[in-house]
């Protein structure tokens, strides 16, 4: 395809996207397709001859769109806000058109330097320590793996350059809470620590935040048993309830044992743009790394996860390679992001952040974040003040964890009396809302029983959409 | 930014991209900026107020484009073909516009199922075993890490679920050749094997391909010393010279010891679309995994790396997580790609492959690949038949490794007599071409001396461009 053919098709596609975005409120939120339904509409072999663009665009409309849960929908209250602002989409379009090769500084100096500038913009906006340096990763899963690899290598004084973790004699341990994201245990497993060496410190029964005393006790027990505490993953805004582990207190425990402190603020990091929410990471200057995802609540098209580290030299030492065909005369003067993560080749992801911040402006983004937290507080008030309903966790950010409790299933003090019936009821009404396509919420386990997470923060979600969800929920439990 | 504002800006951006792509032949190939020059043109803080699109587009033109080495240029002969066909760019634009959330099948059934269909298309096109299953990863670096993690877990019977690699008593070893890509040793280091346990088997001095006898000897020595050979990474098309390790013979060694066989065909995989090149992976049915990157020579916009595995159940067991908030009623019936790699969230990368194959058609892609190999053979003939020049490695695919050898620096049998002077000469003429902006080649070490790699295969590169490069090289060594 040449530039002129691209121009014609590109204009059609832009119009299609604009039309699609405009009509999302009319689409069902949850994809209504059955397993295999999308694949069944596609040919089993690739075409030998080129097809016209109109046919591909028609498939996009008739096959793909019905097969996608509409996370940009104003009634999307699922997993987490997964916003993709149209400003950031434009930045990604520019990146695709440029198709720069991001393997070294030399292959695309602008890819590296725009990224350096934009991650520094966001460091300043989130008030992270001025000496910290950032890099864009694909996801928090990868960033947390990089953090736990960095922790492993610090604890073993670069065992990777010798016999590897397998040659170490003192077992390393990793700490977090039972409310940590699944990517944390996955990272610990992949980094070679082994699940037997992952400790889940107790949380406070009301806030679901890590109890520093529980962490200290676990660490002390491991040290007494001859193990070496290597890292603690601090959850700032858990997936389940947006619980906030007390970072400063955790840092003071970790520092005694030389542990790596990694902060997982994947969802909550966006809130750090608000000065009134900076308390979320009080004590961060004593931590070693922090990850947060602009591709969630902030609204930068995914994939776009930010990993900040206190000691970039250590990260580079863990991750660097230097083959002859990638060397250049300026190596000592420039940043080589290939040595800041797992992949060698990197896309020009900084452009979508750059476009997003410039075209939307920071003040408007802050206002939207505040709107979402207001909406969450409003919903929590409605739920709390309505008999038969309960808010199950503090509403720290934009997520309300709630349950409808038919008479007799839960005691006055909140003790579940008939778990099986309650669970069936919860899943049933949540599924009925999701199946209707009118809104989308995520059931989640909390204290061994199913609850429903209402995660507010789609870019399009206004107070009226939250009010409509509240009506839907009341109707759903009544039928 | 709303849909109508996006529509207006999107049309401008599409026109800008079409114009940019059309004028690439007039741009210098190598970015001509100095370290810090791009960053120096950007403000140090993010804008509080939204900026107009015209200003961002102007910066794209004046700041970003000059800061990018033009890998889509017809005179780009650098690292490896890094093609981004405009058909695939459209697919990526569609993915951005849709902004589907790829965390589970349920979050975007089409994201999963189009990927299943397209990776199966490519499996059939590359004649990989029908029982193998594929998944899109970001890069071969990540895919090879996943492969070496899978090897580690098979060798240790899922140590990650117990005490981890650190609790294992028998040291695991990994094998490849000195010509393996840097990502292979990086993957071994990150997976915890340790660099002391990576063996570089000797290669044939002419073909630079692994000597299976050398592999067998290394494996036997390790077994005799009480170590356990866990994996061998087979290079099909090395970065340096496109050397092809003899897969079938390596498989027969590896099978005796239960080793994981991972095939790194990152660049060469595209050639498997040509029936006459299938010999590259003779014996693959005895291997465990293979990675190749459509984002290189095939021409699908990056990031787009394909990992195929013989035993997806094993991969899933190594990579899976199953938190409550990601469970759904259809879990047993669908593919959950989150369990096929490191990241949880995944972009809709299948769309760019789907658009690329459909809009360009497979036959046209095959013709282009054959054109490039023809051009490489033609250049090798010119170089070989010209006094003072030497082709240093077999031209198996589209890369010609060559050197200009001024009188007295190299003996008649090819022995380097004055390495220092020869190296300075090689780097000097290669750098002079790159600095001119007229073409771009990559110096690379081979047998301890610098050579120049001419990697042919930009989508725009025709025979006349290769002939022009040959003229440039002859001029460069004469000045």
């Amino acid at each position: 395809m040449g530039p002129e053919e691209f121009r014609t098709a590109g204009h059609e596609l832009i119009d299609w996207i604009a039309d699609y975005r405009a009509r999302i409120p009319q689409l069902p939120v949850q994809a209504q397709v059955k397993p295999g339904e999308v694949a069944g509409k596609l040919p089993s072999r690739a075409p030998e001859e080129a097809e016209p663009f109109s046919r591909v665009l028609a498939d996009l409309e008739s096959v793909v769109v019905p097969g996608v849960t509409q996370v940009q929908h104003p009634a999307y209250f699922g997993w987490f806000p997964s916003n993709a602002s149209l400003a950031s989409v434009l930045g990604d379009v520019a990146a695709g058109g440029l198709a720069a090769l991001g393997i070294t500084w030399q292959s695309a100096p602008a890819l590296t330097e725009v990224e350096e500038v934009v991650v520094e913009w966001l460091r300043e906006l989130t008030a992270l320590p001025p000496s910290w340096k950032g890099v864009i990763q694909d996801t928090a899963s990868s960033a947390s793996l990089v953090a736990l690899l960095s922790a492993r290598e610090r604890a073993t004084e670069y065992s990777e350059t010798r016999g590897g973790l397998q040659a170490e004699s003192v077992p390393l341990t990793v700490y977090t809470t039972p409310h940590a994201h699944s990517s944390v245990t996955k990272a610990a497993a992949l980094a070679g620590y082994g699940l037997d060496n992952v400790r889940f410190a107790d949380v406070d029964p009301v806030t679901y935040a890590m109890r520093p005393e529980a962490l200290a006790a676990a660490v002390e027990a491991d040290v007494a048993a001859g193990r070496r505490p290597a890292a603690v993953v601090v959850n700032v805004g858990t997936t389940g309830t947006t619980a906030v582990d007390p970072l400063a207190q955790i840092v003071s425990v970790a520092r005694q044992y030389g542990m790596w402190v990694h902060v997982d603020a994947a969802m909550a990091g966006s809130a750090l743009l608000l000065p009134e929410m900076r308390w979320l990471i009080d004590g961060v200057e004593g931590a070693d790394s922090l990850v947060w995802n602009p591709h969630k609540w902030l609204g930068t098209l995914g994939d776009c996860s930010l990993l900040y580290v206190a000691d970039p030299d250590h990260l580079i030492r863990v991750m660097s390679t230097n083959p002859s065909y990638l060397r250049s005369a300026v190596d000592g003067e420039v940043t080589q992001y290939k040595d800041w993560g797992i992949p060698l080749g990197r896309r020009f992801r900084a452009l979508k952040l750059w476009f997003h911040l410039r075209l939307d402006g920071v003040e408007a983004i802050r206002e939207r974040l505040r709107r979402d937290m207001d909406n969450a507080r409003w919903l929590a008030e409605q739920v709390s003040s309505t008999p038969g309903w309960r808010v199950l966790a503090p509403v720290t950010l934009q997520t309300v964890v709630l349950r409808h409790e038919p008479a007799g299933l839960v005691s006055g003090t909140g003790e579940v009396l008939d778990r099986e019936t309650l669970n069936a009821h919860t899943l049933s009404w949540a599924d009925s809302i999701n199946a209707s396509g009118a809104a989308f919420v995520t059931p989640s386990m909390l204290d061994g029983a199913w609850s429903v997470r209402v995660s507010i923060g789609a870019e399009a979600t206004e107070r009226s959409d939250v009010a409509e969800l509240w009506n839907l929920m009341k109707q759903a439990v009544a039928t």
Side-chain angles (χ1 to χ4, degrees), chain A:
Chain A
M1 177 180 284
E4 291 315 310
E5 223 185 320
F6 170 82
R7 189 189 307 269
T8 306
H11 284 302
E12 281 184 60
L13 184 57
I14 290 291
D15 281 333
W16 182 86
I17 292 170
D19 294 344
Y20 159 71
R21 287 289 188 119
R23 73 188 158 86
I24 285 177
Q26 281 81 56
L27 296 172
V29 190
Q30 179 175 265
Q32 306 283 310
V33 297
K34 294 192 170 44
E37 193 173 329
V38 171
K41 289 178 181 164
L42 305 178
S44 61
R45 297 182 67 154
E48 285 291 314
E49 303 286 328
E51 295 182 49
F53 184 66
S54 57
R55 205 186 298 167
V56 177
L57 197 59
D59 282 353
L60 203 56
E61 178 76 29
S62 65
V63 179
V64 174
V65 169
V68 169
T69 293
Q70 306 294 335
V71 295
Q72 311 302 322
H73 197 292
Y76 168 72
F77 302 97
W79 302 285
F80 46 77
S82 181
N83 294 318
S85 66
L86 287 166
S88 66
V89 171
L90 289 174
D92 206 45
V93 172
L98 280 165
L101 174 63
I103 54 173
T104 60
W105 178 89
Q106 193 189 34
S107 72
L111 188 151
T112 298
E113 296 193 9
V114 175
E115 182 163 335
E116 287 185 284
V117 168
V118 173
V119 296
E120 170 59 18
W121 284 4
L122 283 156
R123 186 210 59 73
E124 193 267 336
L125 287 171
T126 53
L128 289 173
S131 62
W132 285 32
K133 298 289 178 194
V135 58
I136 306 177
Q137 306 259 340
D138 59 352
T139 60
S141 302
S142 298
S144 290
L145 174 57
V146 168
L148 288 188
L149 290 168
S150 299
R152 183 189 81 186
E153 294 304 307
R154 194 173 75 181
T156 61
E157 291 175 25
Y158 306 99
S159 64
E160 64 171 9
T161 62
R162 303 185 308 273
L165 184 62
Q166 58 181 348
E168 296 296 303
S169 53
V170 179
L172 305 180
T173 48
V174 174
Y175 305 80
T176 188
T177 80
H179 291 258
H181 189 262
S182 58
S183 60
V184 174
T185 41
K186 181 168 176 172
L190 297 183
Y193 294 96
L195 297 181
D196 284 354
N197 295 309
V198 180
R199 312 272 175 261
F200 299 100
D202 278 352
V203 296
D204 179 278
V206 173
T207 65
Y208 301 105
M210 186 188 285
R211 292 176 52 243
E213 320 82 77
L215 172 67
V219 167
E220 283 158 24
D222 280 322
V223 170
R227 291 182 281 263
R228 169 152 189 191
V232 55
V233 179
V234 183
N235 310 288
V236 170
T238 57
T239 305
T241 71
T242 66
V244 179
D245 294 342
L247 179 55
Q249 293 169 269
I250 293 167
V251 161
S252 86
V253 173
R255 279 287 161 258
Q256 295 173 49
Y257 299 93
M259 296 160 68
W260 186 281
V261 179
H262 175 59
V263 181
D264 179 358
M267 214 292 295
S270 301
L272 299 174
L273 269 75
L274 307 177
E276 68 270 27
M277 296 305 290
R278 300 269 166 77
W279 63 267
L280 287 168
I281 55 164
D282 275 350
V284 73
E285 60 285 350
D288 296 284
S289 56
L290 178 146
V291 61
W292 75 277
N293 295 350
H295 68 218
K296 289 192 163 81
W297 193 14
L298 193 79
T300 309
L301 175 66
D303 48 3
C304 190
S305 179
L306 292 174
L307 175 66
Y308 287 92
V309 292
D311 182 358
D313 289 344
H314 172 72
L315 176 61
I316 291 165
R317 194 162 157 194
V318 173
M319 293 285 158
S320 72
T321 59
N322 190 23
S324 65
Y325 45 85
L326 296 181
R327 285 178 215 158
S328 83
V330 297
D331 284 350
E333 305 166 52
V334 298
T335 297
Q336 298 289 17
Y337 275 128
K338 68 182 174 66
D339 299 333
W340 293 56
I342 293 165
L344 168 59
R346 307 173 72 250
R347 285 159 52 240
F348 205 154
R349 285 182 291 215
L351 282 183
K352 55 192 175 189
L353 269 172
W354 198 48
F355 274 52
H356 182 201
L357 295 173
R358 294 183 67 182
L359 294 173
D360 283 358
V362 174
E363 202 41 54
I365 294 172
R366 286 200 198 94
E367 276 171 35
R368 180 167 54 75
L369 300 173
R370 290 190 177 111
R371 174 201 68 178
D372 298 337
M373 293 199 295
D374 279 346
N375 284 340
R377 281 187 290 266
W378 177 86
L379 178 62
E381 282 160 21
Q382 312 309 307
V383 172
S384 300
S385 61
T386 305
W389 290 83
R390 192 187 302 268
V391 173
L392 297 165
V395 178
T396 314
L397 295 164
Q398 43 55 271
T399 302
V400 184
V401 185
L402 52 80
R403 196 160 57 201
H404 177 254
E405 299 173 345
L409 302 184
V410 179
S411 76
T413 58
E415 193 194 348
V416 176
L417 303 174
D418 182 346
R419 192 173 303 264
E420 201 174 331
T421 306
L422 183 64
N423 280 346
H425 174 70
T426 305
L427 291 175
S428 165
W429 72 255
D431 287 350
S432 78
I433 289 176
N434 292 350
S436 76
F440 188 82
V441 293
T442 305
S444 175
M445 292 290 272
L446 187 64
D447 295 333
W450 284 98
S451 63
V452 171
R453 288 170 70 258
V454 176
S455 177
I456 296 169
E459 196 177 343
T461 302
E462 300 291 349
R463 173 68 56 87
S464 57
D465 302 298
V466 180
E468 179 56 27
L469 173 71
W470 176 222
N471 286 333
L472 280 173
M473 292 196 295
K474 286 185 289 189
Q475 288 162 22
V477 301
T479 55

